[in-house]
Amino acid sequence: MAKKSVASLQTGSKRLSKAIKMVKSPKTGAYTFVEAIMDPSKVKEFLSKK
């Protein structure tokens, strides 16, 4: 089960989003969180990647 969270950020005239994805490690089975700040149009692509 993946957890996802998206927050909107605004810096100056550029609009950005912070996406947080929970990823399961294939080695240990532990979950880690991967964070990225990107353009809002690329959030779905980031969350769908494994």
Side-chain angles (χ1 to χ4, degrees), residues 27-46:
K27 233 180 183 182
T28 62
Y31 286 94
T32 59
F33 291 95
V34 178
E35 297 182 23
I37 296 177
M38 66 195 73
D39 190 276
S41 62
K42 297 182 182 182
V43 171
K44 279 192 177 184
E45 181 184 321
F46 172 75

Side-chain angles (χ1 to χ4, degrees), residues 3-27:
K3 178 182 179 180
K4 58 184 174 181
S5 173
V6 178
S8 293
L9 306 172
Q10 194 167 357
T11 58
S13 63
K14 197 170 191 180
R15 187 169 168 82
L16 300 171
S17 293
K18 180 178 181 180
I20 303 170
K21 179 170 57 170
M22 192 165 76
V23 180
K24 186 173 183 179
S25 170
K27 233 180 183 182

